Amino acid sequence: QVQFVESGGGLVQPGGSLRLSCVASGFTFSIFAMNWWRQAPGQERELVAGITRGGATTNYADFVKGRFTISRDNAKNTAYLQMNSLKSEDTAVYYCATAGGRYWGQGTQVTVSS
């Protein structure tokens, strides 16, 4: 079975931090570049960050640059999104996905509120 299992979401205060994890199984994780996406209620899905197959190169949307860090550990079949200095505007469901869109995680809710 092919799975991307996400975890680490939750409720945090503005300025707080969360670390999202995305554990792959059922396919060869290391051959895929990875993306994190997010979608807020009533909004279009937007690309947050991307990382190459070996993890050497990363890209970020302007709205998270300097606050979020994407990383991966191919030995653990896991992608991560470290989110710092969270803002209310970051509230959304976050999804991991292979960069080509073949596989998607189930999503994890991140809520930033006082």
Side-chain angles (χ1 to χ4, degrees), residues 12-18 67 83-90 112-114:
V12 295
Q13 294 184 344
S17 296
L18 284 174
R67 300 188 297 122
M83 304 185 295
N84 299 326
S85 301
L86 283 161
K87 306 173 181 179
S88 60
E89 310 97 273
D90 296 318
V112 185
S113 177
S114 298

mmCIF file of all heavy atoms in Angstrom, residues 12-18 67 83-90 112-114:
data_model
loop_
_atom_site.group_PDB
_atom_site.id
_atom_site.type_symbol
_atom_site.label_atom_id
_atom_site.label_comp_id
_atom_site.label_asym_id
_atom_site.label_seq_id
_atom_site.Cartn_x
_atom_site.Cartn_y
_atom_site.Cartn_z
ATOM 1 N N VAL A 12 -1.405 26.327 18.055
ATOM 2 C CA VAL A 12 -0.303 27.070 18.657
ATOM 3 C C VAL A 12 -0.634 28.553 18.685
ATOM 4 O O VAL A 12 -1.452 29.039 17.901
ATOM 5 C CB VAL A 12 1.031 26.858 17.917
ATOM 6 C CG1 VAL A 12 1.488 25.413 18.023
ATOM 7 C CG2 VAL A 12 0.906 27.272 16.459
ATOM 8 N N GLN A 13 0.027 29.268 19.585
ATOM 9 C CA GLN A 13 -0.137 30.709 19.666
ATOM 10 C C GLN A 13 0.707 31.409 18.607
ATOM 11 O O GLN A 13 1.708 30.869 18.141
ATOM 12 C CB GLN A 13 0.269 31.208 21.048
ATOM 13 C CG GLN A 13 -0.633 30.720 22.155
ATOM 14 C CD GLN A 13 -0.264 31.305 23.501
ATOM 15 O OE1 GLN A 13 0.826 31.841 23.679
ATOM 16 N NE2 GLN A 13 -1.168 31.210 24.447
ATOM 17 N N PRO A 14 0.312 32.605 18.204
ATOM 18 C CA PRO A 14 1.166 33.380 17.303
ATOM 19 C C PRO A 14 2.579 33.506 17.859
ATOM 20 O O PRO A 14 2.772 33.722 19.054
ATOM 21 C CB PRO A 14 0.471 34.736 17.235
ATOM 22 C CG PRO A 14 -0.963 34.420 17.509
ATOM 23 C CD PRO A 14 -0.937 33.310 18.528
ATOM 24 N N GLY A 15 3.558 33.346 16.982
ATOM 25 C CA GLY A 15 4.951 33.347 17.388
ATOM 26 C C GLY A 15 5.493 31.992 17.774
ATOM 27 O O GLY A 15 6.711 31.844 17.947
ATOM 28 N N GLY A 16 4.628 31.010 17.888
ATOM 29 C CA GLY A 16 5.040 29.674 18.265
ATOM 30 C C GLY A 16 5.585 28.872 17.106
ATOM 31 O O GLY A 16 5.693 29.366 15.981
ATOM 32 N N SER A 17 5.906 27.615 17.392
ATOM 33 C CA SER A 17 6.523 26.733 16.410
ATOM 34 C C SER A 17 5.839 25.378 16.379
ATOM 35 O O SER A 17 5.298 24.908 17.386
ATOM 36 C CB SER A 17 8.003 26.506 16.742
ATOM 37 O OG SER A 17 8.740 27.706 16.669
ATOM 38 N N LEU A 18 5.881 24.755 15.218
ATOM 39 C CA LEU A 18 5.454 23.381 15.029
ATOM 40 C C LEU A 18 6.397 22.706 14.045
ATOM 41 O O LEU A 18 6.968 23.363 13.174
ATOM 42 C CB LEU A 18 4.031 23.293 14.473
ATOM 43 C CG LEU A 18 2.855 23.560 15.399
ATOM 44 C CD1 LEU A 18 1.566 23.569 14.589
ATOM 45 C CD2 LEU A 18 2.782 22.517 16.501
ATOM 46 N N ARG A 67 11.092 31.834 7.898
ATOM 47 C CA ARG A 67 10.365 31.295 9.046
ATOM 48 C C ARG A 67 10.236 29.777 9.019
ATOM 49 O O ARG A 67 10.254 29.139 10.070
ATOM 50 C CB ARG A 67 8.958 31.901 9.114
ATOM 51 C CG ARG A 67 8.944 33.417 9.256
ATOM 52 C CD ARG A 67 7.539 33.935 9.524
ATOM 53 N NE ARG A 67 6.635 33.655 8.411
ATOM 54 C CZ ARG A 67 5.505 32.957 8.512
ATOM 55 N NH1 ARG A 67 5.131 32.451 9.687
ATOM 56 N NH2 ARG A 67 4.731 32.762 7.448
ATOM 57 N N MET A 83 8.233 24.922 11.289
ATOM 58 C CA MET A 83 7.527 26.190 11.161
ATOM 59 C C MET A 83 7.758 27.006 12.422
ATOM 60 O O MET A 83 7.336 26.605 13.512
ATOM 61 C CB MET A 83 6.032 25.952 10.942
ATOM 62 C CG MET A 83 5.730 25.066 9.745
ATOM 63 S SD MET A 83 3.951 24.910 9.422
ATOM 64 C CE MET A 83 3.442 24.049 10.910
ATOM 65 N N ASN A 84 8.413 28.137 12.269
ATOM 66 C CA ASN A 84 8.697 29.039 13.371
ATOM 67 C C ASN A 84 8.006 30.378 13.144
ATOM 68 O O ASN A 84 7.591 30.699 12.035
ATOM 69 C CB ASN A 84 10.205 29.262 13.514
ATOM 70 C CG ASN A 84 10.974 28.001 13.813
ATOM 71 O OD1 ASN A 84 10.487 27.111 14.508
ATOM 72 N ND2 ASN A 84 12.200 27.917 13.299
ATOM 73 N N SER A 85 7.920 31.159 14.199
ATOM 74 C CA SER A 85 7.312 32.491 14.123
ATOM 75 C C SER A 85 5.961 32.448 13.434
ATOM 76 O O SER A 85 5.665 33.258 12.548
ATOM 77 C CB SER A 85 8.259 33.455 13.398
ATOM 78 O OG SER A 85 9.501 33.544 14.063
ATOM 79 N N LEU A 86 5.136 31.524 13.850
ATOM 80 C CA LEU A 86 3.862 31.300 13.180
ATOM 81 C C LEU A 86 2.925 32.489 13.347
ATOM 82 O O LEU A 86 2.892 33.142 14.396
ATOM 83 C CB LEU A 86 3.208 30.035 13.706
ATOM 84 C CG LEU A 86 3.822 28.750 13.146
ATOM 85 C CD1 LEU A 86 3.473 27.555 14.022
ATOM 86 C CD2 LEU A 86 3.338 28.518 11.721
ATOM 87 N N LYS A 87 2.171 32.749 12.292
ATOM 88 C CA LYS A 87 1.199 33.826 12.237
ATOM 89 C C LYS A 87 -0.194 33.241 12.047
ATOM 90 O O LYS A 87 -0.347 32.118 11.562
ATOM 91 C CB LYS A 87 1.511 34.758 11.061
ATOM 92 C CG LYS A 87 2.921 35.300 11.026
ATOM 93 C CD LYS A 87 3.157 36.070 9.732
ATOM 94 C CE LYS A 87 4.564 36.615 9.657
ATOM 95 N NZ LYS A 87 4.802 37.335 8.379
ATOM 96 N N SER A 88 -1.200 34.030 12.369
ATOM 97 C CA SER A 88 -2.567 33.569 12.170
ATOM 98 C C SER A 88 -2.835 33.222 10.702
ATOM 99 O O SER A 88 -3.616 32.307 10.412
ATOM 100 C CB SER A 88 -3.573 34.609 12.652
ATOM 101 O OG SER A 88 -3.422 35.829 11.945
ATOM 102 N N GLU A 89 -2.177 33.918 9.794
ATOM 103 C CA GLU A 89 -2.347 33.663 8.366
ATOM 104 C C GLU A 89 -1.805 32.299 7.934
ATOM 105 O O GLU A 89 -2.083 31.857 6.816
ATOM 106 C CB GLU A 89 -1.647 34.742 7.529
ATOM 107 C CG GLU A 89 -1.994 36.152 7.931
ATOM 108 C CD GLU A 89 -0.963 36.752 8.869
ATOM 109 O OE1 GLU A 89 -1.099 36.554 10.095
ATOM 110 O OE2 GLU A 89 -0.032 37.414 8.389
ATOM 111 N N ASP A 90 -1.022 31.648 8.794
ATOM 112 C CA ASP A 90 -0.505 30.319 8.494
ATOM 113 C C ASP A 90 -1.520 29.220 8.779
ATOM 114 O O ASP A 90 -1.260 28.054 8.476
ATOM 115 C CB ASP A 90 0.767 30.043 9.297
ATOM 116 C CG ASP A 90 1.905 30.981 8.936
ATOM 117 O OD1 ASP A 90 2.100 31.247 7.734
ATOM 118 O OD2 ASP A 90 2.604 31.441 9.863
ATOM 119 N N VAL A 112 -3.238 28.623 14.185
ATOM 120 C CA VAL A 112 -2.451 29.610 14.918
ATOM 121 C C VAL A 112 -3.418 30.650 15.467
ATOM 122 O O VAL A 112 -4.021 31.414 14.710
ATOM 123 C CB VAL A 112 -1.398 30.270 14.027
ATOM 124 C CG1 VAL A 112 -0.514 31.197 14.856
ATOM 125 C CG2 VAL A 112 -0.557 29.211 13.323
ATOM 126 N N SER A 113 -3.565 30.654 16.775
ATOM 127 C CA SER A 113 -4.555 31.527 17.399
ATOM 128 C C SER A 113 -4.212 31.750 18.859
ATOM 129 O O SER A 113 -3.643 30.888 19.520
ATOM 130 C CB SER A 113 -5.950 30.909 17.300
ATOM 131 O OG SER A 113 -6.917 31.704 17.958
ATOM 132 N N SER A 114 -4.593 32.932 19.368
ATOM 133 C CA SER A 114 -4.454 33.226 20.781
ATOM 134 C C SER A 114 -5.607 32.661 21.593
ATOM 135 O O SER A 114 -5.557 32.622 22.807
ATOM 136 C CB SER A 114 -4.398 34.737 21.011
ATOM 137 O OG SER A 114 -3.277 35.314 20.383
#
